[in-house]
Amino acid sequence: MPATHPAIIDGHNDVLLKLYRAGGLAQAGTFLTGRDGALDLPKAQAGGFGGGFFAVYVPSPMDREARDAEMTNATYDLPLPEPIDWEDALPVVLSQAAILFELERQGALCVCRSVADMRAALAAGRIAAIFHIEGAEGIDPDLHMLDVLHAAGLRSLGPVWSRNTIFGHGVPFRFPSGPDIGPGLSDHGIRLVRRCNQLGILIDLSHMNAAGFWDVARHSDKPLVATHSNAHALCPISRNLTDDQLRAIAESDGMVGLNFAVAFLRQDGRKLSDVPVETMLRHLDHMMGILGENRVGLGSDYDGAIVPEALTTVADLPVLRQAMADHGYGAALIDKLCRDNWLRVLERTWGA
Ligand SMILES: [Zn+2]
């Protein structure tokens, strides 16, 4: 990676889930030495991956291969997995958070609590990690755990994954379909949004249905952010953002991270990896057409999704940067998309 390119900040990865499944804390060291996956320290250094949102996620007991196979069909409508109780979710949240802090202890990354922390980590050549939770199953109705997790470094939270919580309703994976499926935030969810605003925790809209999205838009006083979502106009899956939603994000001076997941990129919505990089550029163009050049970035979903063949791991990120240049994006715009826009919206959300 030439030194002239600033390291990439990314809106979503699931490497903590992968390490948790591989054996937890004992497997943390494989992140430093190299693991069979999309993100580790050697690949990050090779590809110029500078950090971003590290998701903690409580998996549902479900047949993932069957769901993946279903999503290769021309149409699909996956049911929402059963809700997970707080008592069952919390130990998983703590296990994955412990892996994140173990990675910091071993020197692989810095857990960043401010944009100043992120700039310092980047300047030191360390991965700048944001502690994110995808789906608030581990948060109790009184929100005490939210305060404790914030004190531990939590800076971003999705009230739901594609599953219902006491806070709201997730959007199912359905193609073709708009996101307007089911009710939005509960009263608990509205209190969660307000408390996140007070604490300075970013609220991630990426797995919310339309009603939940508009509830957050109504109740949050921070920029609207979808960390890993694409344009519904180009790929009409329930998980993507409609132009109306993109306009609301623009009005709030928020941001969207481009998801590399093929099912959210392809016009036919099929979970098949033969996707040209140009498809990603079309989503960037469409989103920038509504959001402008300052409110779009990357949200790869590495280690959590089937991605285009040319971008299998973070070591391949220079391929995307080159495709942006070939597409006519100037160096300043590429830096915005790859890093600066995330730092900008995080500063607006967390405070300077
Ligand atoms: Zn996700």
Side-chain angles (χ1 to χ4, degrees):
M1 207 52 216
T4 49
H5 291 149
I8 287 172
I9 296 295
D10 175 61
H12 191 91
N13 76 69
D14 285 304
V15 72
L16 297 176
L17 172 68
K18 288 291 173 72
L19 291 168
Y20 166 79
R21 283 190 167 135
L25 278 183
Q27 290 298 311
T30 64
F31 185 88
L32 284 85
T33 54
R35 50 180 282 277
D36 181 22
L39 172 57
D40 56 38
L41 187 57
K43 294 188 191 87
Q45 286 166 344
F49 174 89
F53 295 69
F54 281 62
V56 162
Y57 162 76
V58 181
S60 281
M62 59 190 181
D63 186 339
R64 299 194 305 277
E65 278 175 26
R67 282 170 68 97
D68 282 351
E70 179 78 20
M71 286 178 71
T72 64
N73 293 331
T75 66
Y76 47 84
D77 183 3
L78 275 57
L80 292 178
E82 288 298 308
I84 298 177
D85 290 340
W86 181 64
E87 300 78 29
D88 297 323
L90 184 58
V92 182
V93 170
L94 297 178
S95 298
Q96 292 181 28
I99 296 170
L100 178 67
F101 292 114
E102 175 65 13
L103 292 176
E104 181 173 55
R105 199 187 63 78
Q106 293 192 19
L109 51 78
C110 297
V111 179
C112 297
R113 293 162 174 80
S114 66
V115 172
D117 285 354
M118 294 183 71
R119 291 189 194 281
L122 291 169
R126 303 273 295 279
I127 291 177
I130 299 163
F131 177 10
H132 167 73
I133 295 180
E134 179 170 45
E137 281 84 357
I139 311 289
D140 55 299
D142 292 326
L143 309 182
H144 296 151
M145 188 50 63
L146 184 73
D147 284 36
V148 172
L149 289 167
H150 174 263
L154 182 73
R155 289 295 178 275
S156 175
L157 172 70
V160 292
W161 179 68
S162 289
R163 186 170 59 200
N164 296 337
T165 69
I166 60 169
F167 304 106
H169 295 253
V171 71
F173 296 95
R174 187 184 292 179
F175 186 93
S177 173
D180 191 5
I181 303 167
L185 291 180
S186 65
D187 289 346
H188 285 312
I190 292 167
R191 287 197 300 109
L192 179 74
V193 166
R194 294 201 175 119
R195 188 65 182 151
C196 284
N197 281 172
Q198 288 168 349
L199 293 171
I201 296 174
L202 181 146
I203 298 155
D204 182 16
L205 295 162
S206 273
H207 283 268
M208 308 209 71
N209 60 22
F213 176 100
W214 295 110
D215 282 342
V216 173
R218 245 188 310 281
H219 293 284
S220 175
D221 59 14
K222 299 290 185 180
L224 299 177
V225 175
T227 57
H228 58 306
S229 294
N230 294 337
H232 190 271
L234 301 184
C235 169
I237 189 170
S238 52
R239 243 312 249 104
N240 281 343
L241 297 160
T242 64
D243 286 355
D244 279 349
Q245 290 176 310
L246 293 173
R247 276 187 281 272
I249 291 169
E251 279 165 29
S252 77
D253 200 12
M255 167 132 179
V256 180
L258 175 78
N259 196 322
F260 297 8
V262 290
F264 310 158
L265 287 168
R266 299 169 63 105
Q267 195 170 16
D268 65 9
R270 298 178 71 192
K271 202 167 192 172
L272 298 170
S273 63
D274 58 328
V275 176
V277 178
E278 289 67 37
T279 305
M280 304 169 75
L281 297 166
R282 282 204 291 278
H283 280 269
L284 289 174
D285 281 339
H286 183 87
M287 292 198 286
M288 280 194 286
I290 296 174
L291 292 158
E293 293 187 355
N294 297 334
R295 303 185 191 90
V296 180
L298 304 181
S300 69
D301 222 337
Y302 272 132
D303 276 322
I306 308 275
V307 298
E309 284 159 359
L311 287 162
T312 310
T313 78
V314 294
D316 301 318
L317 284 169
V319 172
L320 178 58
R321 201 193 285 269
Q322 185 60 48
M324 289 178 177
D326 295 344
H327 192 60
Y329 295 174
L333 175 57
I334 294 173
D335 286 352
K336 284 184 182 188
L337 296 171
C338 290
R339 184 193 63 173
D340 297 340
N341 289 347
W342 272 126
L343 297 179
R344 189 194 73 85
V345 85
L346 290 170
E347 202 148 62
R348 290 206 64 231
T349 304
W350 296 340

